[in-house]
Amino acid sequence: MSTPNVRVFADLTALTAAAKQFLLEQATGAIAQRGQFTLALAGGNTPKPLYESLVSADTPWLQWHIFWGDERYVPLEHTDSNAGMAFQAWLNHVPIPKTQIHPMPTEDADPQIAADRYEQTLRQHFGLRNGEFPSFDLILLGMGSDGHTASLFPHTAALQVGDRLITVGNKDGQPRLTFTVPLINHARQILFLVTGANKQTALHHIFSSTGDPHLYPARLITGNTLWFLDQAAAEGVVDNA
Ligand code: 6PG
């Protein structure tokens, strides 16, 4: 991994404010150049304050197109639903047309069928030919203390998938839907939001030249990547942090 592009913030509040500004700048640029902003959301706890802060944003919502980078295989109403969280925190409160918000489907008995359906949704939206990967304007990612990102968990088959956009992740036997590594790496911009001292060990391995990507999957993300860390996560990992 080349030298990571890292910014360190005092705490979650400061990180959230900077992420909001960065995201809105990316939206303004994408809409000016391409008439639309394609954004893939992360789940977990860290991005929730960012989503809540976007309710008050002044931006042309009609040009926003929302997708998810991964999802727990539960209904939208379930408390573990990444999409459910984002709707409650933000999307139910802004005028993005519902036809431009694409939660991952979790109804099918077979998660592979759901993965295939979401892949078709992406192929249609981006007008892709076979074998092509879309370039999202921005993909938000988090990282677990085990170094997983999206639902790309250590030592799972999902890490090897190179010819699909969407695959089935596996968290302790529980199915997940997730963007594949090549889809993420095709993004115009990737932004990691990582907070908490329990992330230091994984970050150390991910930023070092010897980290094992099968043990720390976030290391497989080698595209145009920016890392926003809070002080607690960066301590002892990033110089002068
Ligand atoms: C998920 C996420 C996952 C998350 C990390 C970090 O569905 O759980 O997409 O990849 O980003 O687990 O989660 P926290 O932000 O809660 O630490």
Side-chain angles (χ1 to χ4, degrees):
M1 173 185 269
S2 58
T3 307
N5 188 356
V6 178
R7 290 179 57 190
V8 179
F9 300 90
D11 53 27
L12 179 58
T13 304
L15 183 150
T16 298
K20 179 182 183 179
Q21 182 186 349
F22 182 82
L23 196 152
L24 292 174
E25 286 163 1
Q26 296 293 308
T28 303
I31 292 165
Q33 290 164 42
R34 290 175 290 278
Q36 67 167 7
F37 177 51
T38 53
L39 172 65
L41 303 183
N45 300 313
T46 305
K48 187 175 181 190
L50 168 63
Y51 300 156
E52 289 164 342
S53 74
L54 286 166
V55 172
S56 60
D58 175 17
T59 178
W61 292 118
L62 297 182
Q63 271 73 44
W64 287 53
H65 296 260
I66 306 293
F67 299 82
W68 274 262
D70 77 313
E71 185 59 274
R72 295 92 181 260
Y73 213 68
V74 295
L76 192 59
E77 308 69 38
H78 192 286
T79 51
D80 287 349
S81 169
N82 287 338
M85 180 269 277
F87 272 107
Q88 283 166 24
W90 165 35
L91 301 169
N92 285 339
H93 314 289
V94 295
I96 298 174
K98 289 295 178 265
T99 54
Q100 293 172 206
I101 301 177
H102 308 277
M104 289 182 154
T106 57
E107 308 82 30
D108 295 281
D110 178 355
Q112 187 55 55
I113 293 174
D116 298 346
R117 280 207 296 133
Y118 203 62
E119 177 140 348
Q120 282 320 308
T121 299
L122 292 181
R123 290 195 169 286
Q124 273 148 22
H125 180 83
F126 287 95
L128 302 174
R129 288 189 298 269
N130 281 344
E132 278 186 339
F133 285 85
S135 290
F136 275 85
D137 292 309
L138 180 61
I139 295 180
L140 296 179
L141 293 173
M143 187 201 75
S145 56
D146 61 356
H148 83 264
T149 189
S151 281
L152 299 165
F153 290 93
H155 297 301
T156 57
L159 304 183
Q160 317 292 338
V161 177
D163 59 352
R164 306 296 308 269
L165 307 184
I166 309 294
T167 192
V168 177
N170 175 342
K171 177 176 173 51
D172 308 329
Q174 292 304 310
R176 299 269 191 110
L177 298 181
T178 185
F179 279 8
T180 59
V181 169
L183 172 54
I184 295 171
N185 284 332
H186 271 80
R188 290 189 176 86
Q189 181 69 60
I190 300 160
L191 176 62
F192 275 98
L193 306 177
V194 180
T195 60
N198 65 335
K199 309 285 175 73
Q200 291 173 3
T201 303
L203 285 172
H204 173 74
H205 289 284
I206 289 161
F207 291 166
S208 78
S209 58
T210 56
D212 175 354
H214 299 289
L215 204 46
Y216 302 100
R219 198 179 155 75
L220 295 166
I221 307 308
T222 57
N224 182 24
T225 306
L226 183 55
W227 294 78
F228 281 11
L229 311 179
D230 72 349
Q231 186 68 36
E235 199 82 39
V237 177
V238 178
D239 298 342
N240 312 321

